[in-house]
Amino acid sequence: MNDSDRNPTPIEDTRFGGITVRQDGQDRLEVEGEGIPHVVMERKPGSEVDPQTAIGTRDPAFLTLRIDGREAALKPAKGALSRRSYRVDVEFEGVDYRLVPDSVPSSRLTRDGVHIGDFSSDGDELVIAEWREDAEARPLDAAVGYALASAFGTGGQPMWMMIVDGVSSALP
């Protein structure tokens, strides 16, 4: 059985019901649900594959993101030492989204600069969303958040912890 024949179990989102995240290797990711827009993210052929990234690259030149068939601007940062360097930005029809790590296991999703929810994923088809009670989450928010969390993973160690790990591994 190949990846396209699988039927992952839908994730039960507290606000949007059943949402299915489907990854086809590191080439394609799809998010769908009864009450949310359909999202497809694809890595273009010929790009070098990064084994640390579920979608295979953080280079926006090799990625396309479509929401209900319409292209969105996808801008993942390169990823370096700081959590912020792992942010992923999306602009779609005048709305700006950002998924940025804010703790070891999770990342926060903002819409036009407003924190609307927190996502956790290891860069696989299992994504957990926790919507903020004081924010109005929309179906598009869920579609974008699930896609970004699955494609790029969430969370990150703080810089000081990475420095301590590096120093301790260099010591005899």
Side-chain angles (χ1 to χ4, degrees):
M1 172 163 68
N2 65 36
D3 284 344
S4 61
D5 295 333
R6 293 181 311 102
N7 288 313
T9 303
I11 300 159
E12 195 59 37
D13 184 275
T14 57
R15 292 201 187 171
F16 299 100
I19 295 176
T20 301
V21 177
R22 186 176 294 107
Q23 293 180 351
D24 186 5
Q26 288 184 292
D27 300 318
R28 179 183 168 94
L29 176 134
E30 195 170 350
V31 175
E32 56 191 345
E34 200 169 305
I36 66 168
H38 182 234
V39 174
V40 175
M41 187 183 302
E42 294 178 301
R43 183 176 53 82
K44 295 177 184 172
S47 64
E48 190 172 324
V49 177
D50 174 6
Q52 302 299 320
T53 305
I55 194 65
T57 186
R58 294 186 71 83
D59 187 340
F62 292 103
L63 293 170
T64 58
L65 177 66
R66 289 185 307 281
I67 301 170
D68 278 345
R70 299 181 309 275
E71 195 157 335
L74 174 64
K75 300 173 207 153
K78 294 197 183 293
L81 285 178
S82 70
R83 284 180 179 162
R84 185 173 158 81
S85 72
Y86 285 91
R87 73 190 175 279
V88 183
D89 294 325
V90 170
E91 191 278 322
F92 183 69
E93 297 184 347
V95 179
D96 293 313
Y97 288 97
R98 174 170 283 176
L99 185 73
V100 63
D102 65 353
S103 68
V104 173
S106 68
S107 295
R108 87 177 153 264
L109 180 67
T110 62
R111 180 186 63 234
D112 293 330
V114 176
H115 183 184
I116 55 175
D118 297 291
F119 284 78
S120 297
S121 177
D122 290 332
D124 54 20
E125 295 172 337
L126 177 59
V127 178
I128 298 168
E130 295 179 26
W131 300 104
R132 292 184 51 104
E133 293 298 324
D134 61 344
E136 176 195 338
R138 303 173 185 160
L140 179 60
D141 304 339
V144 169
Y146 277 87
L148 297 181
S150 178
F152 299 101
T154 61
Q157 291 185 339
M159 192 181 309
W160 67 266
M161 190 180 288
M162 292 187 341
I163 292 169
V164 168
D165 285 348
V167 169
S168 64
S169 66
L171 296 174

